[in-house]
Structure formats: structure tokens, C-alpha cells
Amino acid sequence: MRHGFGLVYGGGRVGLMGIVADAVLEGGGRAIGVIPEPLAGKEIAHDGLTELHVVADMHQRKSMMARRARAFLTLPGGIGTFEEFFETLSWATLGLHQKPMGILNVAGYFDPLLALLDHAAAARFVRPEHQKLFLVSTDPEAVLSDLMARAGRESQAQCIDFNKT
């Protein structure tokens, strides 16, 4: 890939992330998929990836994806996307990782989510410093460059420590 990033994602061949995986592979990058066996069994697993890991369940999937990733970029998506973003953000607020996080806010897609976080901060349910744990950009090149720069400053050996609470 242009930025030297590979892709660690849910392992599907369908939808936006299937398209992103194909683009990464076509650009010469590495695409690593992690898919739960029930989804792989429904024949939605991408069979052309650099690596495809079939795991037992969603918890193992998210754990492996988080451990393998050097940064997290959230693209427009549905309930699973929101859940993964908030779980990763929660881990960051708890100090379980310091990996850079970003949101690609295509056509204002995440504006309501960002407004909700602003509202929660104004109501003092979210600490303002926690909103600074992720970047927001409408420009794919800019957000990838920023994430790459921040990931480069992090230790290569940094792991998410799920035992630290």
C-alpha cells in the first residue's frame, strides 16, 4: 500500500471491507482477515487474503484483530462498526492500548456520532480528553498519513494487555 499499512480486518469478501481488502491486495499490501467459523461457514470469507484466520467466536476475532493492528481506522458501517469503535476507544480510556485511532468521516456520516460524544462530554459522562484519543478526517490520505505517523512513534512491540484493568 502507498502508506506502508496493511489491513487487519474481519475477513469477509462482501461489503465495503471486502472492497478495501481487494484494493489493499491490488496495491501490493498485506490483507489479514480474522473471521469467526460460523461466518466462514456461510461462505463469506475472503479466500484471496494474505492470511485468513478462522476463530471460534467474535471475542476471539476482536482480540486477534486488536493485537495484530498497529492502528485503528473506522470507516462508515453499521452496528458492528460502532461496537468495535467504542470497544477500542474504551480500551484506550482504560490504558489497555495507546495505538492511534481514526475515523474517516465520509460525507458527514459520523457527524451524529461525534455530536453524541460531544453531548456526553457536556453532560460529564465522557471525559473531554477521551475525545482526543482519536482523529477525525474527511480526507482518506490525511487520516492514513496521520495514523502512520502516530503508529511509527509507538513501540513496535506494544500489545494490548487485556489483563490490565
Side-chain angles (χ1 to χ4, degrees):
M1 263 191 92
R2 238 182 323 229
H3 289 279
F5 272 111
L7 174 68
V8 178
Y9 83 112
R13 62 175 167 74
V14 298
L16 178 60
M17 291 310 299
I19 294 167
V20 170
D22 287 339
V24 167
L25 292 166
E26 288 170 15
R30 293 175 44 84
I32 300 167
V34 185
I35 192 165
E37 197 285 320
L39 292 179
K42 291 182 180 183
E43 299 181 3
I44 68 162
H46 194 306
D47 59 1
L49 300 174
T50 310
E51 296 176 30
L52 179 63
H53 301 272
V54 179
V55 296
D57 57 39
M58 292 297 285
H59 297 291
Q60 287 181 358
R61 173 194 204 181
K62 290 187 293 185
S63 176
M64 180 179 277
M65 286 173 28
R67 290 177 197 275
R68 299 285 306 259
R70 291 182 53 209
F72 304 99
L73 177 59
T74 302
L75 303 178
I79 298 298
T81 298
F82 301 142
E83 189 272 336
E84 289 174 357
F85 168 76
F86 279 112
E87 185 164 37
T88 306
L89 181 59
S90 294
W91 292 340
T93 66
L94 294 171
L96 300 180
H97 79 84
Q98 295 84 41
K99 295 179 181 186
M101 297 177 60
I103 293 176
L104 182 59
N105 193 16
V106 177
Y109 181 80
F110 286 108
D111 288 351
L113 179 93
L114 298 169
L116 174 65
L117 288 170
D118 288 341
H119 175 72
R124 302 175 77 182
F125 286 104
V126 171
R127 294 181 182 168
E129 63 267 22
H130 291 163
Q131 291 178 280
K132 297 176 184 170
L133 293 172
F134 57 92
L135 309 167
V136 179
S137 180
T138 59
D139 180 350
E141 293 291 326
V143 74
L144 287 172
S145 293
D146 287 348
L147 288 174
M148 185 177 76
R150 291 175 186 221
R153 289 194 300 260
E154 300 297 328
S155 165
Q156 296 286 6
Q158 188 208 41
C159 293
I160 292 182
D161 184 356
F162 294 107
N163 296 316
K164 182 174 145 186
T165 54

